[in-house]
Amino acid sequence: MELTAQFASRLLSCTPKLLNNPLETSRRLVLSTTTTTLRNQKRSGPGPPRLKIVNARRESGGGAEVDTAVTVKEKPKSERFEVYRGSPTPFGATARDGGVNFAIFSANAISATLCFISLSDLHENKVAEQISLDPLTNKTGDVWHVFLKGDFKDMLYGYKFDGKFSPDKGLYYDSSRILLDPYAKAVISGGEFGALGADGNCWPQMACMVPSFDDEFDWEGDLPLKYPQRDLIIYEMHVRGFTRHESSRTEFPGTYLGVVEKLHHLKELGVNCIELMPCHEFNELEYFSYNSVLGDHKVNFWGYSTVNYFSPMTKYSSSGVRNCGRDAINEFKLLIREAHKQGIEVIMDVVFNHTAEGNENGPLLSFRGVDNSVYYMLAPKGEFYNYSGCGNTFNCNNPVVRQFIVDCLRYWVTEMHVDGFRFDLASIMTRGSSLWDAVNVYGNSIESDWMTTGSPLSSPPLIDMISNDPILHGVKLIAEAWDTGGLYQVGTFPHWGIWSEWNGKYRDTVRQFIKGTGGFSGAFAECLCGSPNLYREGGRKPWNSINFVCAHDGFTLADLVTYNNKHNSANGEDNNDGENHNNSWNCGQEGELASTSVKKLRKRQMRNFFLCLMVSQGVPMIYMGDEYGHTKGGNNNTYCHDNYINYFQWDKKEESSSDFFRFCCLMTKFRHECESLGLNDFPTAEKLQWHGHTPGMPDWSETSRFVAFTLIDSVKGEIYVAFNTSHLPVMITLPERPGFRWEPLVDTSKPTPYDFLSIDLPGRDIAYDQYAHFLDANLYPMLSYSSIILVLSPEESS
């Protein structure tokens, strides 16, 4: 007979006996308190299967007699799979014990349904199987779980959650929506990059890959390279943009395999670390709209709008959705393996500051429908905080979310073999979470007892966890130490001695000085030394500064010397988007159509910037395409263009192979050869001396536009570097070194190939002779807007 409320009221206590083995039989004896049973039967929405009485008896325990009931539960039904209780760990879908265990966190949902969709039916949103999870047996704490055995071939999965839809309380449950598992290892949606879904849908149904025991990859003994960070030369790259242009002549353009085909280019350039722009799964159709300016469609090209953090972008693979995304995972792994074979580390640009779900008007894809109030920073009435500028802010310091982030980073290190991470808008990761409570987080009130959501924390739990994690502690960790909410932490980002920063102050100072702005000579000298003004006091080193002049957002190097103003009309926003203050100089004329003298000056300035980057203490970062002078036509915000604007143009690179590209290759080679250009600590007076137009007399005045220094080097002996950013030429006196002679190596005012006098340069001796009468007098003439490198050699070798 069915359990009735009248009979149940007589039952006072019991002890649950639930087996933890995922292979336990579906019919299990459960001793259950009837009050719990009744509470679950009265829940709104789909409730658990009803319990039936098997036997009732009275027992005596400790004196008083109590009524107990032994019940048998009807398991969740499935025609396709054998269904078992499952385990709450690990999160995600895990192949084990001849089946697959599914586990997902959701504290506020009242029901959970596991859904399966065949790969062939995904575009029709047709569900092949639904398994309702019982909150009594398929839930432990706030984790829903189930173990299944059966045939998962070509099957994808997702979840439906039911609960309150109450945006003012931060709840967005909708049982009609199939959601992505935050821990899914591959996400499948459409086919090719930029292809619309059925009926022109920009947000087609997505689903998750079910793992298999056959998911193997031959790493061929791959091990992390573990380069000291001070030895790195980083190259910021977009996977699709790198080889999508027809001139790449790759077999698989715009893919991970395309990058593999071009690794030799990076090797030639002297790069030993790639920083991949976002490769987590994102929806490139997010901004899809017709662009009347160019006659094509805007897309999310850069990828800074993550859908799933464990999944590599499947549309960057040549295989696409084939094999339910497994082949895409293996292609990403192949890229890492082959890069390591070439001596190149790989860092991922990760976006843990916001997701693609946007604000309250955004789509329900995953986190919002699973547990919105946990995953996002919310105001008391459910509004989304927007420190990211993209509609929402990931609730990074919430205990569940920070564990999620650490799990994700560990996965990419252990399973995918990446060497480190660059964290986009990383200052968000230092902000207090919703309902911040220092006692609950730390165990004591080390911060103020009450803080508003988003307040900066001096010891953010997430950064603490990452910094002290035994797996993550040894990888490269780079912060973009600011956010769009006004928090700017360059030099002050919580670091635990291991975090580096994109040095935005280096970029701004170097741009100002090189273009000839007065008052920056002292700040420029700090940049050359690795920015000790920012990092020494906190106990950090020069290599904690990631030095860059250009990056994906902003002008390219060629555009930096070609445009005074942004030209973003192609974005279709009336030139209102993008940064207005670029510290650029067009060298006298705006745009690419300019006089010969202006074009020569622009090339000189490009060489000046690159030389500065290579002789600065710290870690230099080059932006993709700058090595041949790629132009975006003055557009400094090209997030939406899947076309020539963002594509590396290999034909242009070939044209530059004997010009600027040659100069870049020789400069990176020189940096690698010089022990003194990658110091582990800030240079002291014993190693470095400053000079002005005369030795030992530097000019740090507001009108100075000249900086020079000598640096003792264990390999080269000693080098002399000088920058003249005045519009006037200058004759400089070199430091006297008895028994030695200064030999010219680099002069950016000279035309190629005499801008760098490499050993194999034909006519090198003739070029030396042109300097001889100056060098005999210990002098050197510098033109306006030029920089030089001289190397000390024994007198007898001259």
Side-chain angles (χ1 to χ4, degrees):
M1 64 178 179
E2 290 193 359
L3 187 65
T4 64
Q6 181 178 5
F7 179 75
S9 65
R10 297 160 47 205
L11 304 183
L12 301 179
S13 65
C14 69
T15 303
K17 292 183 179 179
L18 296 180
L19 302 177
N20 291 321
N21 188 336
L23 295 180
E24 64 178 308
T25 60
S26 60
R27 295 185 60 83
R28 49 180 74 81
L29 294 179
V30 180
L31 292 176
S32 173
T33 57
T34 305
T35 52
T36 300
T37 303
L38 292 175
R39 187 185 310 121
N40 282 286
Q41 287 177 340
K42 293 179 180 179
R43 282 181 174 175
S44 60
R50 304 186 71 181
L51 302 181
K52 295 184 178 181
I53 292 293
V54 173
N55 186 25
R57 63 185 183 275
R58 296 178 63 83
E59 292 183 352
S60 174
E65 286 189 331
V66 296
D67 288 308
T68 63
V70 181
T71 63
V72 174
K73 198 192 80 60
E74 295 178 348
K75 69 173 183 176
K77 295 180 179 180
S78 171
E79 296 180 359
R80 188 183 300 262
F81 304 108
E82 296 177 40
V83 184
Y84 305 92
R85 178 174 185 261
S87 171
T89 58
F91 286 176
T94 307
R96 54 184 287 189
D97 301 324
V100 178
N101 190 80
F102 297 85
I104 186 170
F105 165 88
S106 182
N108 292 299
I110 62 173
S111 74
T113 303
L114 179 60
C115 304
F116 289 95
I117 308 172
S118 69
L119 180 61
S120 60
D121 289 339
L122 181 62
H123 67 286
E124 298 179 0
N125 298 341
K126 183 180 178 181
V127 177
E129 183 87 9
Q130 295 190 101
I131 301 174
S132 297
L133 305 187
D134 173 38
L136 286 180
T137 57
N138 297 113
K139 188 179 182 186
T140 302
D142 293 328
V143 182
W144 301 79
H145 49 81
V146 67
F147 182 85
L148 304 178
K149 295 180 70 176
D151 183 6
F152 293 97
K153 182 175 175 56
D154 291 334
M155 295 299 292
L156 306 170
Y157 78 98
Y159 288 94
K160 292 181 179 179
F161 287 98
D162 199 7
K164 290 184 179 179
F165 186 88
S166 182
D168 61 331
K169 295 182 180 179
L171 302 176
Y172 284 81
Y173 288 107
D174 181 349
S175 60
S176 69
R177 301 302 302 269
I178 298 178
L179 306 171
L180 298 174
D181 180 356
Y183 279 79
K185 303 309 185 291
V187 170
I188 304 300
S189 56
E192 296 183 358
F193 190 97
L196 292 170
D199 300 322
N201 187 2
C202 292
W203 287 99
Q205 179 63 55
M206 303 178 184
C208 311
M209 176 200 75
V210 179
S212 166
F213 290 98
D214 299 326
D215 298 346
E216 295 182 357
F217 178 78
D218 184 3
W219 282 103
E220 298 180 0
D222 177 69
L223 293 171
L225 298 174
K226 293 186 177 181
Y227 290 141
Q229 189 157 310
R230 64 180 181 272
D231 294 337
L232 296 184
I233 296 179
I234 299 175
Y235 187 89
E236 189 188 24
M237 171 199 292
H238 188 281
V239 168
R240 181 172 173 83
F242 192 53
T243 62
R244 184 60 186 171
H245 195 268
E246 58 184 11
S247 63
S248 74
R249 298 187 182 91
T250 54
E251 184 178 359
F252 303 104
T255 67
Y256 302 123
L257 295 184
V259 175
V260 172
E261 293 184 64
K262 292 294 188 179
L263 287 174
H264 62 86
H265 166 75
L266 302 178
K267 192 74 172 176
E268 182 183 6
L269 181 57
V271 167
N272 58 8
C273 181
I274 306 169
E275 183 178 299
L276 296 177
M277 289 174 66
C279 289
H280 288 153
E281 187 68 32
F282 66 92
N283 180 15
E284 79 282 6
L285 300 173
E286 182 176 358
Y287 312 137
F288 190 83
S289 61
Y290 181 71
N291 187 346
S292 60
V293 179
L294 296 182
D296 61 3
H297 289 83
K298 295 170 61 175
V299 298
N300 177 7
F301 185 77
W302 284 351
Y304 289 90
S305 193
T306 307
V307 168
N308 182 274
Y309 291 99
F310 281 82
S311 171
M313 181 62 173
T314 54
K315 294 179 183 179
Y316 283 171
S317 70
S318 65
S319 57
V321 301
R322 190 175 66 235
N323 201 14
C324 295
R326 295 181 183 87
D327 290 352
I329 294 174
N330 285 341
E331 283 191 23
F332 184 91
K333 290 179 176 179
L334 188 143
L335 168 57
I336 305 299
R337 186 189 72 192
E338 296 306 306
H340 286 174
K341 286 181 179 179
Q342 295 290 329
I344 299 173
E345 292 189 334
V346 181
I347 291 173
M348 291 186 68
D349 194 341
V350 292
V351 190
F352 288 111
N353 58 78
H354 76 284
T355 77
E357 291 182 304
N359 59 18
E360 64 276 4
N361 297 315
L364 267 70
L365 305 173
S366 180
F367 305 97
R368 175 170 298 154
V370 172
D371 213 322
N372 182 75
S373 62
V374 169
Y375 285 107
Y376 295 112
M377 275 191 202
L378 302 178
K381 293 186 178 180
E383 304 96 331
F384 289 86
Y385 280 94
N386 190 20
Y387 294 114
S388 68
C390 297
N392 65 54
T393 304
F394 215 46
N395 203 19
C396 294
N397 283 297
N398 175 282
V400 171
V401 181
R402 66 175 184 260
Q403 186 62 59
F404 166 81
I405 293 173
V406 169
D407 289 345
C408 179
L409 298 177
R410 282 181 164 189
Y411 172 80
W412 287 96
V413 171
T414 58
E415 294 297 322
M416 308 297 262
H417 289 206
V418 302
D419 302 285
F421 306 93
R422 179 263 186 189
F423 295 82
D424 184 63
L425 298 184
S427 289
I428 282 176
M429 302 195 306
T430 72
R431 293 183 179 272
S433 61
S434 299
L435 302 178
W436 172 259
D437 184 342
V439 175
N440 287 339
V441 173
Y442 295 112
N444 57 74
S445 183
I446 66 171
E447 303 279 350
S448 60
D449 289 334
W450 182 85
M451 299 181 70
T452 58
T453 298
S455 296
L457 307 173
S458 59
S459 297
L462 172 60
I463 307 301
D464 187 351
M465 284 182 68
I466 294 172
S467 303
N468 293 291
D469 185 85
I471 293 174
L472 303 177
H473 182 82
V475 304
K476 276 73 177 181
L477 300 171
I478 302 171
E480 184 184 38
W482 57 82
D483 63 25
T484 64
L487 185 55
Y488 191 80
Q489 297 176 306
V490 173
T492 62
F493 188 86
H495 56 81
W496 274 263
I498 61 175
W499 284 76
S500 302
E501 298 170 7
W502 263 28
N503 192 344
K505 292 182 179 180
Y506 177 98
R507 173 200 60 204
D508 298 341
T509 299
V510 168
R511 287 186 179 192
Q512 290 277 26
F513 182 77
I514 294 294
K515 76 187 183 80
T517 305
F520 282 90
S521 58
F524 180 72
E526 294 273 11
C527 291
L528 293 172
C529 291
S531 301
N533 56 316
L534 297 177
Y535 301 112
R536 175 183 283 157
E537 185 176 345
R540 283 189 281 181
K541 305 295 183 181
W543 50 264
N544 291 120
S545 173
I546 307 300
N547 302 329
F548 66 103
V549 175
C550 300
H552 67 273
D553 50 350
F555 280 150
T556 65
L557 185 57
D559 289 348
L560 186 66
V561 300
T562 305
Y563 298 93
N564 282 352
N565 305 302
K566 67 181 182 182
H567 294 265
N568 294 3
S569 297
N571 299 350
E573 300 179 41
D574 297 324
N575 208 37
N576 291 318
D577 63 306
E579 178 59 56
N580 291 316
H581 305 288
N582 297 284
N583 296 321
S584 60
W585 178 43
N586 62 17
C587 298
Q589 291 178 269
E590 187 78 356
E592 295 185 54
L593 296 177
S595 65
T596 300
S597 60
V598 167
K599 288 182 177 180
K600 286 182 178 180
L601 178 56
R602 288 173 178 173
K603 284 193 174 184
R604 189 187 308 173
Q605 287 289 75
M606 288 173 63
R607 290 191 285 264
N608 290 335
F609 279 118
F610 201 87
L611 184 148
C612 171
L613 197 58
M614 290 301 128
V615 300
S616 297
Q617 300 298 325
V619 179
M621 185 185 79
I622 308 165
Y623 175 55
M624 180 184 85
D626 279 349
E627 68 268 34
Y628 70 83
H630 181 77
T631 177
K632 297 182 180 181
N635 193 329
N636 69 0
N637 190 32
T638 60
Y639 70 98
C640 59
H641 297 289
D642 182 28
N643 55 36
Y644 67 93
I645 295 177
N646 280 318
Y647 293 168
F648 189 106
Q649 297 179 34
W650 292 91
D651 50 351
K652 299 295 184 183
K653 178 261 174 180
E654 291 303 321
E655 293 174 8
S656 176
S657 60
S658 61
D659 190 355
F660 188 60
F661 179 69
R662 169 187 176 272
F663 180 84
C664 292
C665 292
L666 291 171
M667 279 304 309
T668 57
K669 183 174 183 289
F670 177 75
R671 179 181 175 88
H672 283 307
E673 291 173 348
C674 291
E675 159 271 336
S676 61
L677 294 180
L679 296 176
N680 196 47
D681 214 334
F682 299 103
T684 63
E686 295 179 353
K687 200 171 186 72
L688 182 146
Q689 289 184 320
W690 297 105
H691 308 288
H693 294 163
T694 57
M697 299 290 290
D699 182 2
W700 307 122
S701 69
E702 290 293 307
T703 59
S704 173
R705 290 171 174 82
F706 183 88
V707 171
F709 65 92
T710 49
L711 190 63
I712 303 296
D713 187 87
S714 62
V715 177
K716 301 292 184 181
E718 190 173 5
I719 60 175
Y720 177 94
V721 181
F723 297 86
N724 177 30
T725 63
S726 169
H727 65 287
L728 299 174
V730 62
M731 181 68 73
I732 60 173
T733 303
L734 301 172
E736 291 192 12
R737 299 290 186 262
F740 292 86
R741 174 188 177 91
W742 291 107
E743 291 189 354
L745 180 66
V746 179
D747 187 336
T748 61
S749 70
K750 304 299 182 184
T752 187
Y754 302 106
D755 49 1
F756 197 114
L757 299 178
S758 58
I759 295 177
D760 60 347
L761 178 66
R764 182 169 178 260
D765 293 339
I766 297 175
Y768 274 178
D769 291 342
Q770 295 177 347
Y771 297 102
H773 60 292
F774 291 110
L775 295 172
D776 288 342
N778 224 36
L779 301 173
Y780 194 93
M782 290 188 69
L783 294 185
S784 61
Y785 302 109
S786 68
S787 51
I788 62 171
I789 300 177
L790 309 180
V791 179
L792 196 64
S793 297
E795 190 78 47
E796 60 269 19
S797 67
S798 302

